[in-house]
Amino acid sequence: RDMTAWEILKEPGFLSFCVVLFVFAGCLWIPMTFIANYATKDAGLSANDAAALVSYTGVASTTGRVAFGRLSKWIPQLVLLQGSVLVSGLAILLLGVAPPSYFVLALHAILFGFFSGSTIALLAPIIIGLVGLRNLPVAFGIAACVQAPGVLIAP
């Protein structure tokens, strides 16, 4: 059945998912925004090496989107999302515990890019699972509106 935006927001699973999207969207851009600066100032890498790290993140993100889209045929999407958010967090933690070097930063860029990219591929299938295909357009719009403030208030 078709649901209004308010009815969709009253769905406990969808509301919980929106909270996760808000927090994740706020955290998603921080590593990508500051990795080049961190690489040049803290790790002492050249500007070219720092630019390569950003490229690694982008290529890994694209690869992760395709891979997780394929994996979602066999593994439940929420399980994939939980695992990818966990690994993304561990990749960020790596920056705090390992000494800054090109290898550590490249490993972070690849892991973070690959696993954080999965959220793009998994967003629509998870929303469909929570509110149904008929309600995807409204629910997807709500999800986008929930993510925007998370991005705006992030450092």
Side-chain angles (χ1 to χ4, degrees):
R1 81 178 172 88
D2 288 337
M3 299 168 69
T4 67
W6 291 114
E7 289 173 321
I8 291 171
L9 281 170
K10 290 179 184 176
E11 288 289 318
F14 185 75
L15 189 58
S16 297
F17 186 60
C18 283
V19 170
V20 169
L21 288 175
F22 174 79
V23 172
F24 190 72
C27 298
L28 177 64
W29 297 104
I30 296 170
M32 290 184 267
T33 303
F34 296 108
I35 190 73
N37 189 39
Y38 181 73
T40 55
K41 294 205 171 149
D42 292 334
L45 301 178
S46 70
N48 286 340
D49 287 342
L53 295 172
V54 175
S55 297
Y56 297 160
T57 303
V59 170
S61 176
T62 302
T63 306
R65 293 171 194 204
V66 173
F68 278 91
R70 299 276 187 208
L71 284 172
S72 70
K73 292 180 179 181
W74 302 286
I75 302 170
Q77 291 98 2
L78 281 173
V79 171
L80 287 172
L81 182 67
Q82 290 167 340
S84 64
V85 169
L86 174 67
V87 175
S88 295
L90 291 173
I92 293 170
L93 182 64
L94 176 68
L95 293 179
V97 298
S101 67
Y102 186 79
F103 174 77
V104 169
L105 293 174
L107 181 62
H108 159 78
I110 292 166
L111 286 174
F112 184 79
F114 185 82
F115 287 96
S116 66
S118 70
T119 57
I120 304 302
L122 297 173
L123 186 60
I126 289 173
I127 291 173
I128 290 169
L130 293 171
V131 297
L133 182 59
R134 291 178 62 120
N135 297 304
L136 177 63
V138 173
F140 200 89
I142 292 169
C145 288
V146 165
Q147 291 175 75
V151 173
L152 289 173
I153 64 172

